[in-house]
Amino acid sequence: MTPDLLPRDPLTPPLLDAQGRTMTYLRLSVTDRCNFRCTYCSPASWGGKRDLLTAEEFERIVSVFARMGIRRVRLTGGEPLIRPDIVEVSQRIAAVPGVTQVAITTNASHLEKLAVPLREAGVTQLNISLDTLSEATFRSISKQGDFAAILRGIDAAVAAGYALLKLNVVVMRGVNDTEVADLIAYAHARRMVPRFIELMPFGQGTPVPTLELVERLQGAGLSLVPDEGQQEVTSGPARYWRARGGLVGFISPLTQNFCGGCNRVRVASNGDLRSCLGGRAQAPLHTLIRGGATDADLALAIRRALGEKPDGHRFSEPGAATSLLPMMGIGG
Ligand code: SAM
Ligand code: SF4
């Protein structure tokens, strides 16, 4: 690690990685368990790691990251809303000084009852995953999920008044790639921003390159114009286009590498810091906390792991699928 990455006080911002990128966004996987087990996300062999962090431990980790310059936190999983204490986890994190935004990515199955309590706990934004409007297609992706509960959950989220709702769609050839225009209309009718994600190699299915999808939509008569302004506003990996009904996002990890602007760091559900979605560099924050580490010890471990953060993921390399932690364990 270069001296620049190790300031005298490891808690002092900025939090830089090995490439000199400033980290401001933390993704926390609050559980590796899921009530859906989608084919592209959850290998049958994935049993999960049972030792999850407590609400207090998440709060402690977020408070250390916030002192180092993290401002936005996303809770993901597995399915974050199956944690019985998810409202408390959200509340504690939203109250950490320095944290300005708490978002959750969810499959919506528990939103009917939780949309309002989470909003009141300080969650400002939800990303909701819905790959299809057909129950039969949904069943081919997840044998376990309750399709009607998802649709009710989405309507509950729309009614709860979140500042921003996004609809995440993983596009798979021959499964849901003909539904893209319908999903755009469904999202825009609810003032949600639909985002279409290229399938990454964590499970089954064939990806559809973003450009092909855009050309197919345009060929079918949908007006789609690139919206460069949104890129600066969102600073995330999605690239936005403007349709008549609103914005449409595309996330293209395979065909438009977004790693250059990476500002994110991940903590897996067992408390391991992962410096990159597609990498292995890590720090065992959970073990350190249980061993009595001070905030400065944690900050030092975080900086050391980020000192090995690669310049980009390696999804396109042969064997990538077998060398990665399943999506359910790292949380997307
Ligand atoms: N259970 C929650 C959900 O489904 O929204 C949160 C966890 S899930 C791992 C987070 C996001 O990752 C979801 O939008 C999901 O569609 C996406 N995802 C899962 N596996 C993926 C894959 N192989 N390629 C691309 N996106 C994937
Ligand atoms: Fe569960 Fe979400 Fe993965 Fe589907 S995408 S298996 S809902 S964690």
Side-chain angles (χ1 to χ4, degrees):
M1 172 173 295
T2 65
D4 286 344
L5 293 169
L6 277 183
R8 192 177 298 272
D9 175 3
L11 284 157
T12 306
L15 177 54
L16 299 175
D17 75 355
Q19 321 299 327
R21 297 170 296 200
T22 303
M23 303 292 114
T24 55
Y25 177 32
L26 173 64
R27 293 180 68 99
L28 283 181
S29 174
V30 296
T31 176
D32 53 6
R33 285 159 239 175
C34 183
N35 52 342
F36 278 17
R37 307 212 65 153
C38 305
T39 49
Y40 51 72
C41 173
S42 154
S45 58
W46 177 247
K49 299 191 172 76
R50 296 284 144 190
D51 202 10
L52 301 179
L53 272 66
T54 64
E56 289 88 344
E57 288 168 336
F58 278 120
E59 182 184 5
R60 169 97 190 276
I61 286 178
V62 172
S63 71
V64 170
F65 272 108
R67 286 173 70 185
M68 301 173 82
I70 291 289
R71 294 291 165 260
R72 295 165 58 210
V73 180
R74 174 170 302 278
L75 310 185
T76 175
E79 175 46 42
L81 272 48
I82 65 174
R83 264 189 84 113
D85 61 352
I86 188 64
V87 174
E88 181 192 348
V89 171
S90 306
Q91 207 161 29
R92 283 176 179 268
I93 291 173
V96 168
V99 171
T100 58
Q101 188 196 90
V102 181
I104 296 184
T105 304
T106 173
N107 64 26
S109 57
H110 287 45
L111 272 181
E112 192 177 14
K113 68 173 188 299
L114 287 177
V116 170
L118 288 170
R119 176 91 189 79
E120 288 171 356
V123 175
T124 48
Q125 179 184 325
L126 296 177
N127 285 14
I128 296 175
S129 303
L130 178 72
D131 300 325
T132 175
L133 297 171
S134 146
E135 180 156 16
T137 304
F138 175 74
R139 195 59 57 216
S140 74
I141 298 168
S142 165
K143 289 196 173 49
Q144 293 160 239
D146 178 346
F147 189 64
I150 298 174
L151 301 184
R152 289 199 304 273
I154 292 175
D155 288 339
V158 171
Y162 282 86
L164 184 56
L165 290 176
K166 294 180 185 165
L167 192 80
N168 282 357
V169 182
V170 177
V171 184
M172 290 157 281
R173 196 178 293 285
V175 177
N176 64 346
D177 55 332
T178 55
E179 283 193 66
V180 172
D182 291 342
L183 284 158
I184 292 174
Y186 173 90
H188 286 166
R190 290 161 180 75
R191 286 202 243 149
M192 303 173 84
V193 179
R195 300 171 343 139
F196 297 92
I197 307 171
E198 281 177 352
L199 179 75
M200 291 181 267
F202 291 93
Q204 297 170 16
T206 309
V208 181
T210 288
L211 205 56
E212 177 187 327
L213 215 53
V214 169
E215 284 171 2
R216 277 164 59 177
L217 289 168
Q218 289 172 327
L222 195 85
S223 151
L224 271 183
V225 182
D227 190 330
E228 302 299 340
Q230 287 299 321
Q231 266 60 286
E232 280 138 45
V233 178
T234 58
S235 71
R239 292 287 163 266
Y240 286 94
W241 298 62
R242 193 160 284 283
R244 280 200 196 85
L247 290 174
V248 181
F250 293 90
I251 303 179
S252 319
L254 304 179
T255 61
Q256 293 166 8
N257 191 302
F258 47 58
C259 300
C262 185
N263 61 353
R264 52 193 59 196
V265 51
R266 294 173 163 82
V267 174
S269 50
N270 66 347
D272 283 350
L273 179 151
R274 292 263 161 181
S275 69
C276 176
L277 178 61
R280 287 272 174 199
Q282 60 184 50
L285 300 182
H286 197 194
T287 314
L288 291 172
I289 288 178
R290 294 200 174 166
T294 64
D295 284 2
D297 295 336
L298 291 174
L300 202 54
I302 290 167
R303 285 191 191 276
R304 289 217 161 102
L306 286 172
E308 292 171 30
K309 183 169 157 90
D311 59 350
H313 67 67
R314 303 280 181 265
F315 293 143
S316 304
E317 289 180 3
T322 50
S323 67
L324 299 171
L325 192 67
M327 198 65 140
M328 277 180 72
I330 187 72

